[in-house]
Amino acid sequence: SDSLCHSLIKYSAKIEEQIPNFQSLLENLNTLQGELLDLSTDLTSEKEKLQILYDQLDAAQAKNMMIDQSTGLWNGALDLYDYEDIDDIKEKIDNQQNIVDTKQIEVDAKQDEIDLVVSQMNDLKNEISIENNFTPELIEERKFFIHEQKWSNEYIFDAKELLERGKKELKKVNQPRIKYSINIVDFLKSVECQRDWQKLQLGDIVTIQYSEL
């Protein structure tokens, strides 16, 4: 219908207008996700250092409990923690915990940035959604012209490259494919059409009019 055609033209223009905004958000999201990965890796490393200190504290406390109460002397074999001061380990743990807490704050802040960008992308998707740009009647009419199929390429691993390749594949099939089945009559043998005998020549183009298109 004319209404659907006009709506599709307006919708296509709206999509084209929002493409730069969406690409900007997507690039920002990719950057933030990379930064989050680096921060998360650092956080994991700092947590491992903290766990090592806790292990040292456990070992030092266990050693301390093995001192001979009658002599006040160490009653076990010498090891890594023989001369380690427990208070010193606790101080290191406190310092390392502060480092972990700071890294966690950085990770949480970066995640908040990502959540904000994702929210903006969702708002944009909602703005250009079919439901918010077409009436229910036009959506039903539009379905008649939609052809869906799945395309994949198992040899492409980069998301951006896969997207660009997908766009190229879409262009190949983004043309209307209409199949007609019609009956024909040899009007040269029809007396009723004798006035039209000279109007059609070999190689002429015949146009078919179909009211539903």
Side-chain angles (χ1 to χ4, degrees), residues 93-110:
I93 287 177
D94 290 339
N95 293 335
Q96 187 62 31
Q97 183 65 60
N98 289 334
I99 294 176
V100 169
D101 292 343
T102 300
K103 285 294 180 182
Q104 185 65 61
I105 291 174
E106 293 176 359
V107 168
D108 293 342
K110 190 62 62 176

Side-chain angles (χ1 to χ4, degrees), residues 31 41 84 136 177 184 196 205 209:
T31 299
T41 300
E84 183 67 271
R177 295 184 295 176
I184 62 173
D196 298 322
I205 297 177
Q209 182 176 352

Side-chain angles (χ1 to χ4, degrees), residues 24-75:
S24 177
L25 289 171
L26 185 59
E27 291 174 1
N28 190 20
L29 178 62
N30 290 334
T31 299
L32 292 173
Q33 288 176 333
E35 293 172 351
L36 177 62
L37 179 60
D38 292 339
L39 289 172
S40 298
T41 300
D42 291 342
L43 177 60
T44 299
S45 176
E46 298 300 338
K47 285 183 175 180
E48 290 174 350
K49 294 177 183 178
L50 180 61
Q51 184 59 52
I52 290 174
L53 289 173
Y54 274 116
D55 292 341
Q56 291 178 355
L57 178 62
D58 290 341
Q61 289 175 333
K63 180 198 70 173
N64 190 51
M65 292 176 62
M66 296 178 64
I67 291 178
D68 192 322
Q69 299 298 322
S70 61
T71 63
L73 300 176
W74 168 245
N75 194 28

Side-chain angles (χ1 to χ4, degrees), residues 133-172:
N133 289 274
F134 294 87
T135 65
E137 294 76 17
L138 290 180
I139 291 177
E140 288 300 315
E141 182 181 352
R142 177 178 173 273
K143 290 179 180 179
F144 180 76
F145 302 97
I146 295 177
H147 174 73
E148 295 182 359
Q149 67 182 62
K150 183 178 180 179
W151 175 84
S152 62
N153 190 319
E154 60 184 7
Y155 301 106
I156 299 178
F157 302 97
D158 182 74
K160 291 184 178 179
E161 182 182 354
L162 185 63
L163 175 61
E164 293 304 317
R165 183 63 178 275
K167 290 179 179 179
K168 293 180 180 179
E169 294 297 324
L170 178 61
K171 288 182 178 180
K172 295 180 181 179

Side-chain angles (χ1 to χ4, degrees), residues 66-129:
M66 296 178 64
I67 291 178
D68 192 322
Q69 299 298 322
S70 61
T71 63
L73 300 176
W74 168 245
N75 194 28
L78 293 178
D79 58 24
L80 180 64
Y81 308 105
D82 286 334
Y83 304 103
E84 183 67 271
D85 183 78
I86 292 179
D87 291 335
D88 182 53
I89 296 178
K90 289 181 178 180
E91 183 178 353
K92 290 180 179 179
I93 287 177
D94 290 339
N95 293 335
Q96 187 62 31
Q97 183 65 60
N98 289 334
I99 294 176
V100 169
D101 292 343
T102 300
K103 285 294 180 182
Q104 185 65 61
I105 291 174
E106 293 176 359
V107 168
D108 293 342
K110 190 62 62 176
Q111 184 61 58
D112 288 341
E113 291 184 58
I114 291 176
D115 292 342
L116 177 59
V117 174
V118 170
S119 176
Q120 292 172 336
M121 294 178 70
N122 289 334
D123 289 341
L124 184 55
K125 290 178 181 179
N126 186 58
E127 181 181 346
I128 62 176
S129 67

